[in-house]
Structure formats: structure tokens, C-alpha cells
Amino acid sequence: ASPSGVHLALTGASGEVAITWTGPGHAARAMEDRPRAEFQVLRNGKLLRRGVAEASAPTTYTRSELCGAPATAEGYRDPGFFYTVRVGELEPGCIVRYRVGSSEAWSKEFSFRAPPAAGAAVRILAFGDMGQQPPDDSLQASGDDWHDGFFSAGDPGAPNTTQALLRDHLEQPADM
């Protein structure tokens, strides 16, 4: 199975990011088969370095470690194994392209911008609700109490929110 649930976290160490994902378990493997992240660090489109970060020992949980039904019964799903790598020595603002996995299967390529220096200003774009809009652009009336008179013809739709976020980002790029 391909790696899934790939996500990032700040580690608290300057210039370091943790990459975590879920994948199948593994027995003792040859070095080239061990779970890892392969990455490239770029600044202004120029390659600064390439690297490989081997995953720490995988973790998981079992049915018996959960609190009870339904999690231990019909709701239980084997979670696979959780892997983490740390990519460090990142200069603020550089771009990191990476993929995770092993010779068995790789994730698609992802990228992120390295965290700014400690104390630097950070610009974040956030939203509370994307709204919804059917693929056929129809707006359907609803009798639900949350619709007020302005939205009585239906929800105004996600494209408006997406367009506004993109416009804001293009005018002044966000860090997150």
C-alpha cells in the first residue's frame, strides 16, 4: 500500500520539520528498503542539496489498547504503522520537495516552505467554512433554520471563498 496521511509538524528546533505518515509494517529490511523521506532543498529554484532521512522505529496501536466498543468492535480498523523523519538544517523560507515510502511504494511528491526564523512575522490565511456548491452550479433552496433571508436560495458556494483566498495570497503571499 502507498504511504498515506502524510503531514508536517514543527519540532521546536530551529530549521527542522518532522514528516509523518502511515504505511504497512515492515520486518527487518535491507537498507534500501527501509521507510524514509527523499528530499531536495531549493532556494529561488536552485537546488541547494538533496537528502535522505531514515524513519524512526514505527509505532502503532492494537485493538486491545483502545477504550472499548465501538472502537474495539465494529469500529476497529487496523491503523497500519506510523513513521516519522526529521529534516533539519533548513534555511528560513527555502522550499523542500519530498516523498516518503520505500522501494515497495512511494507517496506522490509534496513540498513545503521551511519555517521562518524565530521571531519573524508569519502571514496565515484561514477560513471557517468553505460553503458548498453543487458541481452543476445549482443553488437549492432549503427550509433549514440556518438559512436566513439572504441565503434562502441556497449556500453562496465554495468557489467564492476559494477565489477570495487565492486573490489574497496573490496580493500578499501567505506563509501558511
Side-chain angles (χ1 to χ4, degrees), residues 74-98:
E74 67 277 356
Y76 181 75
R77 180 183 71 81
D78 185 330
F81 288 82
F82 310 111
Y83 299 94
T84 300
V85 300
R86 290 174 177 249
V87 177
E89 299 177 21
L90 300 173
E91 296 177 23
C94 64
I95 300 297
V96 179
R97 290 188 198 152
Y98 68 97

Side-chain angles (χ1 to χ4, degrees), residues 112-131:
F112 65 89
R113 187 180 329 167
V122 176
R123 186 166 190 272
I124 299 172
L125 286 180
F127 60 90
D129 187 348
M130 286 288 288

Side-chain angles (χ1 to χ4, degrees), residues 32-175:
E32 65 273 6
D33 289 338
R34 292 190 182 152
R36 62 193 179 276
E38 296 180 345
F39 63 92
Q40 301 174 340
V41 181
L42 302 102
R43 165 126 6 245
N44 299 323
K46 292 185 70 173
L47 180 65
L48 299 178
R49 68 181 168 110
R50 293 178 192 273
V52 175
E54 189 172 326
S56 58
T59 60
T60 192
Y61 57 87
T62 64
R63 181 186 308 251
S64 64
E65 295 173 279
L66 299 177
C67 60
T72 58
E74 67 277 356
Y76 181 75
R77 180 183 71 81
D78 185 330
F81 288 82
F82 310 111
Y83 299 94
T84 300
V85 300
R86 290 174 177 249
V87 177
E89 299 177 21
L90 300 173
E91 296 177 23
C94 64
I95 300 297
V96 179
R97 290 188 198 152
Y98 68 97
R99 67 180 188 159
V100 297
S102 69
S103 60
E104 292 177 8
W106 289 99
S107 69
K108 68 178 188 174
E109 184 177 275
F110 298 95
S111 66
F112 65 89
R113 187 180 329 167
V122 176
R123 186 166 190 272
I124 299 172
L125 286 180
F127 60 90
D129 187 348
M130 286 288 288
Q132 61 183 3
Q133 183 171 13
D136 65 0
D137 277 341
S138 65
L139 293 177
Q140 300 171 357
S142 171
D144 292 348
D145 292 337
W146 66 270
H147 278 94
D148 64 20
F150 182 72
F151 294 122
S152 61
D155 197 331
N160 295 334
T161 304
T162 305
Q163 290 166 2
L165 287 168
L166 178 60
R167 184 179 58 250
D168 288 349
H169 177 66
L170 293 174
E171 289 173 7
Q172 185 179 358
D175 298 300

Side-chain angles (χ1 to χ4, degrees), residues 8-20 84-90 115:
L8 304 172
L10 297 175
T11 64
S14 182
E16 184 178 74
V17 171
I19 306 171
T20 303
T84 300
V85 300
R86 290 174 177 249
V87 177
E89 299 177 21
L90 300 173

